[in-house]
Amino acid sequence: MPKALPMLDTTAALCCSPMAAAPLDEADALGIALRLKALADPVRVRLMSLIYARAQDGICTCDLAPAVGVSEATVSHHLKQLREAGLIEGTRKGTNNYYRPRPESLAALCQILNPRCSC
Amino acid sequence: MPKALPMLDTTAALCCSPMAAAPLDEADALGIALRLKALADPVRVRLMSLIYARAQDGICTCDLAPAVGVSEATVSHHLKQLREAGLIEGTRKGTNNYYRPRPESLAALCQILNPRCSC
């Protein structure tokens, strides 16, 4: 079971940037920083992009590894961090793990940060 | 002079998530990861929030340090990383440095990542 991160209030996050509206408290800042840290790696950014671009079908570790040019073991390590941060989800099919986006989680993070939210 | 990061195409970023539209290439992924890394720390997230919440007036290191409970030297170290990532800008007034948001840069980053861009 992936380690849970502190919850983000996705309801509050659905409209204009809480970050710019008032200073964030320590707990919220920690939750945001942990998610950003999970994303803040060039291989993980590419993995996110591959997974989000193949949202409907899911994509297996066996396809992700050659696409980013690292071993399946390294890809699995990166995917674990993205999964623990709630940014993707994984399901096992036969001998393969397939990954899908969790767009509501990534959108909430972006909307907390985005100072130009258009709503 | 802060070290320049690879440029983000903010024009392309102004509409629906390039990250989810097609897999990002290595250079774009690196540019995004470097900006995320600059943000991915609880103290830096709180500093960003304080700076973005005081957008019009700017805020000095002398006010930021007590607000986040660390020394001015530590705050300066964190601010340097945010400045180098293009997420804030600093100007000197007398003996103090004042910091202001660079919302176009943060908005571009969010819009590249956000899978729920409403445009």
mmCIF file of all heavy atoms in Angstrom, chain A residues 19-20 22-24 26 29 33 36-37 39-42 45-46 49-50 52-53 103 106-107 110 113-116 118, chain B residues 19-20 22-24 26 29 33 36-37 39-42 45-46 49-50 52-53 103 106-107 110 113-116 118:
data_model
loop_
_atom_site.group_PDB
_atom_site.id
_atom_site.type_symbol
_atom_site.label_atom_id
_atom_site.label_comp_id
_atom_site.label_asym_id
_atom_site.label_seq_id
_atom_site.Cartn_x
_atom_site.Cartn_y
_atom_site.Cartn_z
ATOM 1 N N MET A 19 -2.532 29.574 -3.213
ATOM 2 C CA MET A 19 -1.172 29.966 -2.846
ATOM 3 C C MET A 19 -0.988 31.476 -2.890
ATOM 4 O O MET A 19 -0.271 32.050 -2.082
ATOM 5 C CB MET A 19 -0.152 29.306 -3.761
ATOM 6 C CG MET A 19 1.261 29.510 -3.255
ATOM 7 S SD MET A 19 2.496 28.862 -4.362
ATOM 8 C CE MET A 19 2.451 30.084 -5.657
ATOM 9 N N ALA A 20 -1.629 32.122 -3.872
ATOM 10 C CA ALA A 20 -1.458 33.570 -4.021
ATOM 11 C C ALA A 20 -2.504 34.351 -3.236
ATOM 12 O O ALA A 20 -2.359 35.553 -3.031
ATOM 13 C CB ALA A 20 -1.520 33.950 -5.489
ATOM 14 N N ALA A 22 -3.464 33.829 -0.015
ATOM 15 C CA ALA A 22 -2.982 34.066 1.351
ATOM 16 C C ALA A 22 -1.823 33.113 1.615
ATOM 17 O O ALA A 22 -1.749 32.052 0.987
ATOM 18 C CB ALA A 22 -4.111 33.813 2.341
ATOM 19 N N PRO A 23 -0.919 33.465 2.525
ATOM 20 C CA PRO A 23 0.226 32.567 2.774
ATOM 21 C C PRO A 23 -0.240 31.172 3.204
ATOM 22 O O PRO A 23 -1.130 31.033 4.037
ATOM 23 C CB PRO A 23 0.973 33.282 3.900
ATOM 24 C CG PRO A 23 0.612 34.723 3.741
ATOM 25 C CD PRO A 23 -0.815 34.718 3.270
ATOM 26 N N LEU A 24 0.361 30.148 2.615
ATOM 27 C CA LEU A 24 0.035 28.763 2.966
ATOM 28 C C LEU A 24 0.597 28.423 4.335
ATOM 29 O O LEU A 24 1.674 28.896 4.705
ATOM 30 C CB LEU A 24 0.674 27.816 1.938
ATOM 31 C CG LEU A 24 0.135 27.839 0.519
ATOM 32 C CD1 LEU A 24 1.050 27.032 -0.391
ATOM 33 C CD2 LEU A 24 -1.284 27.282 0.481
ATOM 34 N N GLU A 26 2.157 25.563 7.161
ATOM 35 C CA GLU A 26 3.241 24.575 7.027
ATOM 36 C C GLU A 26 2.753 23.236 6.490
ATOM 37 O O GLU A 26 3.419 22.615 5.666
ATOM 38 C CB GLU A 26 3.914 24.358 8.391
ATOM 39 C CG GLU A 26 4.915 25.426 8.748
ATOM 40 C CD GLU A 26 5.685 25.084 10.022
ATOM 41 O OE1 GLU A 26 6.387 24.055 10.051
ATOM 42 O OE2 GLU A 26 5.550 25.843 10.986
ATOM 43 N N ALA A 29 1.937 23.481 2.786
ATOM 44 C CA ALA A 29 3.191 23.646 2.036
ATOM 45 C C ALA A 29 3.934 22.314 1.933
ATOM 46 O O ALA A 29 4.497 21.975 0.891
ATOM 47 C CB ALA A 29 4.070 24.702 2.702
ATOM 48 N N ALA A 33 4.858 20.408 -1.457
ATOM 49 C CA ALA A 33 6.282 20.157 -1.729
ATOM 50 C C ALA A 33 6.549 18.676 -1.996
ATOM 51 O O ALA A 33 7.345 18.322 -2.873
ATOM 52 C CB ALA A 33 7.146 20.653 -0.566
ATOM 53 N N LEU A 36 5.415 17.923 -5.493
ATOM 54 C CA LEU A 36 6.329 18.532 -6.472
ATOM 55 C C LEU A 36 7.636 17.747 -6.540
ATOM 56 O O LEU A 36 8.197 17.545 -7.617
ATOM 57 C CB LEU A 36 6.614 19.987 -6.083
ATOM 58 C CG LEU A 36 5.442 20.954 -6.242
ATOM 59 C CD1 LEU A 36 5.762 22.289 -5.576
ATOM 60 C CD2 LEU A 36 5.123 21.161 -7.722
ATOM 61 N N LYS A 37 8.097 17.279 -5.384
ATOM 62 C CA LYS A 37 9.344 16.506 -5.336
ATOM 63 C C LYS A 37 9.195 15.197 -6.122
ATOM 64 O O LYS A 37 10.113 14.755 -6.806
ATOM 65 C CB LYS A 37 9.719 16.227 -3.879
ATOM 66 C CG LYS A 37 11.159 15.824 -3.688
ATOM 67 C CD LYS A 37 11.512 15.771 -2.215
ATOM 68 C CE LYS A 37 12.925 15.218 -2.065
ATOM 69 N NZ LYS A 37 13.301 15.005 -0.672
ATOM 70 N N LEU A 39 7.455 14.817 -8.696
ATOM 71 C CA LEU A 39 7.461 15.168 -10.129
ATOM 72 C C LEU A 39 8.823 15.681 -10.609
ATOM 73 O O LEU A 39 9.104 15.627 -11.817
ATOM 74 C CB LEU A 39 6.457 16.298 -10.378
ATOM 75 C CG LEU A 39 5.014 15.968 -10.658
ATOM 76 C CD1 LEU A 39 4.208 17.265 -10.739
ATOM 77 C CD2 LEU A 39 4.896 15.210 -11.976
ATOM 78 N N ALA A 40 9.628 16.203 -9.687
ATOM 79 C CA ALA A 40 10.795 17.011 -10.058
ATOM 80 C C ALA A 40 12.019 16.206 -10.507
ATOM 81 O O ALA A 40 13.085 16.294 -9.912
ATOM 82 C CB ALA A 40 11.168 17.922 -8.887
ATOM 83 N N ASP A 41 11.852 15.450 -11.544
ATOM 84 C CA ASP A 41 12.942 14.655 -12.102
ATOM 85 C C ASP A 41 12.649 14.488 -13.594
ATOM 86 O O ASP A 41 11.498 14.191 -13.963
ATOM 87 C CB ASP A 41 12.966 13.295 -11.397
ATOM 88 C CG ASP A 41 13.989 12.358 -12.007
ATOM 89 O OD1 ASP A 41 13.665 11.705 -13.032
ATOM 90 O OD2 ASP A 41 15.107 12.276 -11.475
ATOM 91 N N PRO A 42 13.649 14.683 -14.451
ATOM 92 C CA PRO A 42 13.358 14.630 -15.895
ATOM 93 C C PRO A 42 12.785 13.292 -16.367
ATOM 94 O O PRO A 42 11.901 13.272 -17.232
ATOM 95 C CB PRO A 42 14.711 14.910 -16.553
ATOM 96 C CG PRO A 42 15.682 15.220 -15.481
ATOM 97 C CD PRO A 42 15.033 15.039 -14.149
ATOM 98 N N VAL A 45 9.149 13.231 -15.202
ATOM 99 C CA VAL A 45 8.322 14.119 -16.024
ATOM 100 C C VAL A 45 7.996 13.424 -17.345
ATOM 101 O O VAL A 45 6.854 13.450 -17.818
ATOM 102 C CB VAL A 45 9.030 15.476 -16.270
ATOM 103 C CG1 VAL A 45 8.331 16.286 -17.363
ATOM 104 C CG2 VAL A 45 9.075 16.291 -14.977
ATOM 105 N N ARG A 46 8.967 12.747 -17.947
ATOM 106 C CA ARG A 46 8.704 12.046 -19.214
ATOM 107 C C ARG A 46 7.754 10.868 -19.005
ATOM 108 O O ARG A 46 6.886 10.603 -19.842
ATOM 109 C CB ARG A 46 10.021 11.581 -19.848
ATOM 110 C CG ARG A 46 10.859 12.763 -20.349
ATOM 111 C CD ARG A 46 12.111 12.303 -21.032
ATOM 112 N NE ARG A 46 11.803 11.682 -22.313
ATOM 113 C CZ ARG A 46 12.574 10.781 -22.901
ATOM 114 N NH1 ARG A 46 13.691 10.370 -22.306
ATOM 115 N NH2 ARG A 46 12.234 10.277 -24.053
ATOM 116 N N SER A 49 4.323 12.210 -18.734
ATOM 117 C CA SER A 49 3.842 12.621 -20.047
ATOM 118 C C SER A 49 3.391 11.411 -20.868
ATOM 119 O O SER A 49 2.325 11.430 -21.500
ATOM 120 C CB SER A 49 4.954 13.390 -20.753
ATOM 121 O OG SER A 49 4.559 13.754 -22.040
ATOM 122 N N LEU A 50 4.170 10.343 -20.838
ATOM 123 C CA LEU A 50 3.801 9.118 -21.567
ATOM 124 C C LEU A 50 2.504 8.533 -21.009
ATOM 125 O O LEU A 50 1.626 8.099 -21.766
ATOM 126 C CB LEU A 50 4.927 8.091 -21.458
ATOM 127 C CG LEU A 50 6.189 8.402 -22.286
ATOM 128 C CD1 LEU A 50 7.412 7.671 -21.734
ATOM 129 C CD2 LEU A 50 5.957 8.017 -23.753
ATOM 130 N N TYR A 52 0.131 10.152 -19.207
ATOM 131 C CA TYR A 52 -0.999 11.056 -19.423
ATOM 132 C C TYR A 52 -1.399 11.109 -20.900
ATOM 133 O O TYR A 52 -2.565 11.320 -21.225
ATOM 134 C CB TYR A 52 -0.706 12.456 -18.846
ATOM 135 C CG TYR A 52 -1.030 12.528 -17.364
ATOM 136 C CD1 TYR A 52 -0.236 11.866 -16.424
ATOM 137 C CD2 TYR A 52 -2.142 13.216 -16.895
ATOM 138 C CE1 TYR A 52 -0.540 11.897 -15.064
ATOM 139 C CE2 TYR A 52 -2.451 13.255 -15.534
ATOM 140 C CZ TYR A 52 -1.645 12.598 -14.637
ATOM 141 O OH TYR A 52 -1.958 12.626 -13.292
ATOM 142 N N ALA A 53 -0.442 10.896 -21.804
ATOM 143 C CA ALA A 53 -0.760 10.899 -23.238
ATOM 144 C C ALA A 53 -1.456 9.599 -23.658
ATOM 145 O O ALA A 53 -2.104 9.542 -24.692
ATOM 146 C CB ALA A 53 0.507 11.121 -24.057
ATOM 147 N N PRO A 103 -5.767 12.396 -13.122
ATOM 148 C CA PRO A 103 -5.761 13.811 -13.504
ATOM 149 C C PRO A 103 -6.326 14.747 -12.447
ATOM 150 O O PRO A 103 -5.902 15.890 -12.352
ATOM 151 C CB PRO A 103 -6.598 13.848 -14.791
ATOM 152 C CG PRO A 103 -7.323 12.554 -14.840
ATOM 153 C CD PRO A 103 -6.531 11.567 -14.061
ATOM 154 N N LEU A 106 -3.369 15.728 -10.157
ATOM 155 C CA LEU A 106 -2.414 16.649 -10.793
ATOM 156 C C LEU A 106 -3.068 18.006 -11.036
ATOM 157 O O LEU A 106 -2.440 19.056 -10.822
ATOM 158 C CB LEU A 106 -1.921 16.043 -12.113
ATOM 159 C CG LEU A 106 -0.900 16.876 -12.890
ATOM 160 C CD1 LEU A 106 0.344 17.154 -12.051
ATOM 161 C CD2 LEU A 106 -0.514 16.170 -14.188
ATOM 162 N N ALA A 107 -4.337 18.004 -11.445
ATOM 163 C CA ALA A 107 -5.038 19.274 -11.688
ATOM 164 C C ALA A 107 -5.162 20.072 -10.393
ATOM 165 O O ALA A 107 -4.988 21.292 -10.387
ATOM 166 C CB ALA A 107 -6.423 19.010 -12.284
ATOM 167 N N CYS A 110 -1.843 21.731 -9.702
ATOM 168 C CA CYS A 110 -1.617 22.856 -10.618
ATOM 169 C C CYS A 110 -2.477 24.052 -10.235
ATOM 170 O O CYS A 110 -2.030 25.196 -10.296
ATOM 171 C CB CYS A 110 -1.935 22.455 -12.053
ATOM 172 S SG CYS A 110 -0.791 21.240 -12.700
ATOM 173 N N LEU A 113 -1.226 26.089 -7.356
ATOM 174 C CA LEU A 113 -0.051 26.899 -7.663
ATOM 175 C C LEU A 113 -0.317 28.005 -8.674
ATOM 176 O O LEU A 113 0.332 29.049 -8.634
ATOM 177 C CB LEU A 113 1.060 25.999 -8.239
ATOM 178 C CG LEU A 113 1.648 24.944 -7.317
ATOM 179 C CD1 LEU A 113 2.632 24.090 -8.089
ATOM 180 C CD2 LEU A 113 2.333 25.581 -6.117
ATOM 181 N N ASN A 114 -1.246 27.773 -9.587
ATOM 182 C CA ASN A 114 -1.359 28.650 -10.759
ATOM 183 C C ASN A 114 -1.904 30.044 -10.418
ATOM 184 O O ASN A 114 -3.074 30.179 -10.070
ATOM 185 C CB ASN A 114 -2.248 27.991 -11.818
ATOM 186 C CG ASN A 114 -2.108 28.660 -13.165
ATOM 187 O OD1 ASN A 114 -1.594 29.780 -13.263
ATOM 188 N ND2 ASN A 114 -2.555 27.993 -14.197
ATOM 189 N N PRO A 115 -1.067 31.083 -10.578
ATOM 190 C CA PRO A 115 -1.532 32.434 -10.263
ATOM 191 C C PRO A 115 -2.422 33.015 -11.354
ATOM 192 O O PRO A 115 -2.982 34.081 -11.201
ATOM 193 C CB PRO A 115 -0.228 33.227 -10.156
ATOM 194 C CG PRO A 115 0.705 32.517 -11.075
ATOM 195 C CD PRO A 115 0.316 31.062 -11.036
ATOM 196 N N ARG A 116 -2.573 32.318 -12.471
ATOM 197 C CA ARG A 116 -3.379 32.823 -13.583
ATOM 198 C C ARG A 116 -4.577 31.926 -13.869
ATOM 199 O O ARG A 116 -5.001 31.783 -15.004
ATOM 200 C CB ARG A 116 -2.519 32.930 -14.857
ATOM 201 C CG ARG A 116 -1.471 33.993 -14.787
ATOM 202 C CD ARG A 116 -2.024 35.354 -15.187
ATOM 203 N NE ARG A 116 -1.129 36.444 -14.825
ATOM 204 C CZ ARG A 116 -0.101 36.858 -15.544
ATOM 205 N NH1 ARG A 116 0.193 36.281 -16.672
ATOM 206 N NH2 ARG A 116 0.661 37.853 -15.135
ATOM 207 N N SER A 118 -8.023 30.841 -14.560
ATOM 208 C CA SER A 118 -8.940 31.699 -15.314
ATOM 209 C C SER A 118 -10.363 31.698 -14.757
ATOM 210 O O SER A 118 -11.238 32.318 -15.317
ATOM 211 C CB SER A 118 -8.958 31.259 -16.772
ATOM 212 O OG SER A 118 -9.405 29.922 -16.833
ATOM 213 N N MET B 19 1.818 18.386 -21.906
ATOM 214 C CA MET B 19 2.326 17.142 -21.331
ATOM 215 C C MET B 19 1.415 15.959 -21.634
ATOM 216 O O MET B 19 1.882 14.841 -21.849
ATOM 217 C CB MET B 19 2.481 17.278 -19.821
ATOM 218 C CG MET B 19 3.207 16.090 -19.227
ATOM 219 S SD MET B 19 3.303 16.149 -17.441
ATOM 220 C CE MET B 19 1.631 15.690 -17.022
ATOM 221 N N ALA B 20 0.101 16.215 -21.650
ATOM 222 C CA ALA B 20 -0.834 15.123 -21.895
ATOM 223 C C ALA B 20 -1.169 14.957 -23.376
ATOM 224 O O ALA B 20 -1.731 13.943 -23.780
ATOM 225 C CB ALA B 20 -2.116 15.357 -21.095
ATOM 226 N N ALA B 22 1.024 14.914 -25.974
ATOM 227 C CA ALA B 22 1.995 14.010 -26.611
ATOM 228 C C ALA B 22 3.201 13.898 -25.677
ATOM 229 O O ALA B 22 3.456 14.815 -24.893
ATOM 230 C CB ALA B 22 2.425 14.583 -27.959
ATOM 231 N N PRO B 23 3.942 12.781 -25.762
ATOM 232 C CA PRO B 23 5.088 12.638 -24.864
ATOM 233 C C PRO B 23 6.088 13.791 -25.036
ATOM 234 O O PRO B 23 6.422 14.174 -26.149
ATOM 235 C CB PRO B 23 5.695 11.299 -25.300
ATOM 236 C CG PRO B 23 4.538 10.549 -25.887
ATOM 237 C CD PRO B 23 3.698 11.596 -26.563
ATOM 238 N N LEU B 24 6.538 14.336 -23.904
ATOM 239 C CA LEU B 24 7.526 15.428 -23.922
ATOM 240 C C LEU B 24 8.886 14.894 -24.322
ATOM 241 O O LEU B 24 9.250 13.763 -23.978
ATOM 242 C CB LEU B 24 7.651 16.018 -22.518
ATOM 243 C CG LEU B 24 6.457 16.794 -21.971
ATOM 244 C CD1 LEU B 24 6.678 17.087 -20.494
ATOM 245 C CD2 LEU B 24 6.260 18.082 -22.755
ATOM 246 N N GLU B 26 13.198 15.074 -24.186
ATOM 247 C CA GLU B 26 14.107 15.156 -23.042
ATOM 248 C C GLU B 26 14.389 16.585 -22.611
ATOM 249 O O GLU B 26 14.450 16.876 -21.412
ATOM 250 C CB GLU B 26 15.435 14.467 -23.391
ATOM 251 C CG GLU B 26 15.389 12.967 -23.242
ATOM 252 C CD GLU B 26 16.767 12.336 -23.433
ATOM 253 O OE1 GLU B 26 17.676 12.607 -22.631
ATOM 254 O OE2 GLU B 26 16.913 11.579 -24.412
ATOM 255 N N ALA B 29 11.384 18.096 -20.826
ATOM 256 C CA ALA B 29 11.225 17.427 -19.528
ATOM 257 C C ALA B 29 12.269 17.948 -18.531
ATOM 258 O O ALA B 29 11.964 18.166 -17.357
ATOM 259 C CB ALA B 29 11.352 15.911 -19.689
ATOM 260 N N ALA B 33 11.463 19.808 -15.074
ATOM 261 C CA ALA B 33 11.955 19.181 -13.838
ATOM 262 C C ALA B 33 12.797 20.164 -13.020
ATOM 263 O O ALA B 33 12.721 20.192 -11.786
ATOM 264 C CB ALA B 33 12.759 17.924 -14.164
ATOM 265 N N LEU B 36 10.420 22.517 -11.279
ATOM 266 C CA LEU B 36 9.712 21.811 -10.206
ATOM 267 C C LEU B 36 10.632 21.577 -9.014
ATOM 268 O O LEU B 36 10.222 21.699 -7.861
ATOM 269 C CB LEU B 36 9.179 20.470 -10.723
ATOM 270 C CG LEU B 36 8.036 20.557 -11.735
ATOM 271 C CD1 LEU B 36 7.776 19.186 -12.355
ATOM 272 C CD2 LEU B 36 6.760 21.075 -11.069
ATOM 273 N N LYS B 37 11.889 21.263 -9.302
ATOM 274 C CA LYS B 37 12.856 21.021 -8.223
ATOM 275 C C LYS B 37 13.067 22.306 -7.407
ATOM 276 O O LYS B 37 13.213 22.261 -6.187
ATOM 277 C CB LYS B 37 14.187 20.535 -8.826
ATOM 278 C CG LYS B 37 15.086 19.862 -7.831
ATOM 279 C CD LYS B 37 16.269 19.215 -8.515
ATOM 280 C CE LYS B 37 17.229 18.673 -7.466
ATOM 281 N NZ LYS B 37 18.463 18.164 -8.058
ATOM 282 N N LEU B 39 10.908 24.477 -6.812
ATOM 283 C CA LEU B 39 9.703 24.665 -5.988
ATOM 284 C C LEU B 39 9.549 23.604 -4.893
ATOM 285 O O LEU B 39 8.862 23.853 -3.901
ATOM 286 C CB LEU B 39 8.457 24.554 -6.873
ATOM 287 C CG LEU B 39 7.926 25.771 -7.587
ATOM 288 C CD1 LEU B 39 6.765 25.374 -8.486
ATOM 289 C CD2 LEU B 39 7.457 26.808 -6.578
ATOM 290 N N ALA B 40 10.162 22.450 -5.086
ATOM 291 C CA ALA B 40 9.825 21.250 -4.310
ATOM 292 C C ALA B 40 10.463 21.207 -2.921
ATOM 293 O O ALA B 40 11.223 20.289 -2.597
ATOM 294 C CB ALA B 40 10.205 20.005 -5.109
ATOM 295 N N ASP B 41 10.163 22.188 -2.114
ATOM 296 C CA ASP B 41 10.671 22.240 -0.749
ATOM 297 C C ASP B 41 9.637 23.016 0.070
ATOM 298 O O ASP B 41 9.155 24.056 -0.397
ATOM 299 C CB ASP B 41 12.024 22.975 -0.752
ATOM 300 C CG ASP B 41 12.560 23.193 0.640
ATOM 301 O OD1 ASP B 41 12.153 24.186 1.286
ATOM 302 O OD2 ASP B 41 13.379 22.382 1.090
ATOM 303 N N PRO B 42 9.293 22.528 1.273
ATOM 304 C CA PRO B 42 8.220 23.186 2.024
ATOM 305 C C PRO B 42 8.515 24.654 2.343
ATOM 306 O O PRO B 42 7.602 25.488 2.309
ATOM 307 C CB PRO B 42 8.093 22.359 3.305
ATOM 308 C CG PRO B 42 8.968 21.181 3.166
ATOM 309 C CD PRO B 42 9.787 21.304 1.923
ATOM 310 N N VAL B 45 8.030 26.601 -0.907
ATOM 311 C CA VAL B 45 6.598 26.741 -1.220
ATOM 312 C C VAL B 45 5.993 27.854 -0.364
ATOM 313 O O VAL B 45 5.228 28.691 -0.854
ATOM 314 C CB VAL B 45 5.843 25.398 -0.995
ATOM 315 C CG1 VAL B 45 4.325 25.600 -1.034
ATOM 316 C CG2 VAL B 45 6.254 24.379 -2.053
ATOM 317 N N ARG B 46 6.356 27.914 0.920
ATOM 318 C CA ARG B 46 5.818 28.980 1.786
ATOM 319 C C ARG B 46 6.355 30.345 1.365
ATOM 320 O O ARG B 46 5.620 31.344 1.393
ATOM 321 C CB ARG B 46 6.158 28.698 3.252
ATOM 322 C CG ARG B 46 5.394 27.479 3.778
ATOM 323 C CD ARG B 46 5.666 27.252 5.237
ATOM 324 N NE ARG B 46 5.047 28.274 6.054
ATOM 325 C CZ ARG B 46 5.503 28.638 7.258
ATOM 326 N NH1 ARG B 46 6.588 28.060 7.771
ATOM 327 N NH2 ARG B 46 4.869 29.570 7.941
ATOM 328 N N SER B 49 4.431 31.445 -1.603
ATOM 329 C CA SER B 49 3.098 31.860 -1.217
ATOM 330 C C SER B 49 3.123 33.267 -0.615
ATOM 331 O O SER B 49 2.285 34.114 -0.938
ATOM 332 C CB SER B 49 2.539 30.841 -0.225
ATOM 333 O OG SER B 49 1.282 31.232 0.232
ATOM 334 N N LEU B 50 4.098 33.543 0.253
ATOM 335 C CA LEU B 50 4.225 34.879 0.854
ATOM 336 C C LEU B 50 4.496 35.930 -0.219
ATOM 337 O O LEU B 50 3.926 37.022 -0.195
ATOM 338 C CB LEU B 50 5.363 34.877 1.886
ATOM 339 C CG LEU B 50 5.051 34.134 3.198
ATOM 340 C CD1 LEU B 50 6.334 33.722 3.905
ATOM 341 C CD2 LEU B 50 4.200 35.015 4.117
ATOM 342 N N TYR B 52 3.855 35.681 -3.534
ATOM 343 C CA TYR B 52 2.726 35.814 -4.470
ATOM 344 C C TYR B 52 1.525 36.485 -3.795
ATOM 345 O O TYR B 52 0.742 37.172 -4.453
ATOM 346 C CB TYR B 52 2.359 34.453 -5.086
ATOM 347 C CG TYR B 52 3.215 34.128 -6.298
ATOM 348 C CD1 TYR B 52 4.565 33.811 -6.155
ATOM 349 C CD2 TYR B 52 2.698 34.200 -7.586
ATOM 350 C CE1 TYR B 52 5.360 33.554 -7.261
ATOM 351 C CE2 TYR B 52 3.492 33.933 -8.702
ATOM 352 C CZ TYR B 52 4.830 33.605 -8.527
ATOM 353 O OH TYR B 52 5.619 33.362 -9.630
ATOM 354 N N ALA B 53 1.380 36.302 -2.471
ATOM 355 C CA ALA B 53 0.277 36.955 -1.763
ATOM 356 C C ALA B 53 0.540 38.457 -1.569
ATOM 357 O O ALA B 53 -0.384 39.223 -1.335
ATOM 358 C CB ALA B 53 0.042 36.279 -0.413
ATOM 359 N N PRO B 103 4.494 35.830 -12.280
ATOM 360 C CA PRO B 103 3.341 34.931 -12.481
ATOM 361 C C PRO B 103 3.295 34.287 -13.859
ATOM 362 O O PRO B 103 2.795 33.173 -13.994
ATOM 363 C CB PRO B 103 2.132 35.837 -12.229
ATOM 364 C CG PRO B 103 2.639 37.233 -12.285
ATOM 365 C CD PRO B 103 4.089 37.201 -11.943
ATOM 366 N N LEU B 106 5.356 31.011 -13.604
ATOM 367 C CA LEU B 106 4.691 29.956 -12.829
ATOM 368 C C LEU B 106 3.433 29.465 -13.555
ATOM 369 O O LEU B 106 3.160 28.263 -13.590
ATOM 370 C CB LEU B 106 4.344 30.485 -11.434
ATOM 371 C CG LEU B 106 3.665 29.495 -10.485
ATOM 372 C CD1 LEU B 106 4.521 28.256 -10.269
ATOM 373 C CD2 LEU B 106 3.351 30.163 -9.144
ATOM 374 N N ALA B 107 2.688 30.393 -14.160
ATOM 375 C CA ALA B 107 1.474 30.004 -14.882
ATOM 376 C C ALA B 107 1.818 29.092 -16.059
ATOM 377 O O ALA B 107 1.118 28.113 -16.331
ATOM 378 C CB ALA B 107 0.719 31.244 -15.359
ATOM 379 N N CYS B 110 2.485 25.617 -14.742
ATOM 380 C CA CYS B 110 1.238 24.953 -14.350
ATOM 381 C C CYS B 110 0.443 24.516 -15.570
ATOM 382 O O CYS B 110 -0.141 23.433 -15.581
ATOM 383 C CB CYS B 110 0.382 25.903 -13.503
ATOM 384 S SG CYS B 110 1.108 26.268 -11.908
ATOM 385 N N LEU B 113 1.607 21.385 -17.231
ATOM 386 C CA LEU B 113 1.324 20.162 -16.477
ATOM 387 C C LEU B 113 -0.162 19.846 -16.351
ATOM 388 O O LEU B 113 -0.543 18.678 -16.270
ATOM 389 C CB LEU B 113 1.891 20.286 -15.055
ATOM 390 C CG LEU B 113 3.400 20.393 -14.920
ATOM 391 C CD1 LEU B 113 3.773 20.628 -13.466
ATOM 392 C CD2 LEU B 113 4.081 19.125 -15.437
ATOM 393 N N ASN B 114 -0.994 20.884 -16.308
ATOM 394 C CA ASN B 114 -2.390 20.694 -15.906
ATOM 395 C C ASN B 114 -3.224 19.935 -16.945
ATOM 396 O O ASN B 114 -3.491 20.455 -18.023
ATOM 397 C CB ASN B 114 -3.031 22.051 -15.626
ATOM 398 C CG ASN B 114 -4.335 21.905 -14.858
ATOM 399 O OD1 ASN B 114 -4.908 20.820 -14.789
ATOM 400 N ND2 ASN B 114 -4.790 22.991 -14.278
ATOM 401 N N PRO B 115 -3.679 18.725 -16.596
ATOM 402 C CA PRO B 115 -4.472 17.941 -17.548
ATOM 403 C C PRO B 115 -5.917 18.428 -17.622
ATOM 404 O O PRO B 115 -6.685 17.940 -18.436
ATOM 405 C CB PRO B 115 -4.410 16.529 -16.968
ATOM 406 C CG PRO B 115 -4.258 16.743 -15.500
ATOM 407 C CD PRO B 115 -3.480 18.017 -15.331
ATOM 408 N N ARG B 116 -6.296 19.371 -16.789
ATOM 409 C CA ARG B 116 -7.677 19.878 -16.772
ATOM 410 C C ARG B 116 -7.733 21.348 -17.140
ATOM 411 O O ARG B 116 -8.572 22.092 -16.645
ATOM 412 C CB ARG B 116 -8.295 19.676 -15.376
ATOM 413 C CG ARG B 116 -8.536 18.232 -15.037
ATOM 414 C CD ARG B 116 -9.880 17.746 -15.593
ATOM 415 N NE ARG B 116 -9.993 16.303 -15.548
ATOM 416 C CZ ARG B 116 -10.365 15.596 -14.489
ATOM 417 N NH1 ARG B 116 -10.651 16.192 -13.372
ATOM 418 N NH2 ARG B 116 -10.446 14.286 -14.552
ATOM 419 N N SER B 118 -8.787 24.494 -18.787
ATOM 420 C CA SER B 118 -10.181 24.700 -19.210
ATOM 421 C C SER B 118 -10.308 25.388 -20.566
ATOM 422 O O SER B 118 -11.407 25.642 -21.020
ATOM 423 C CB SER B 118 -10.911 25.517 -18.150
ATOM 424 O OG SER B 118 -10.275 26.770 -17.990
#
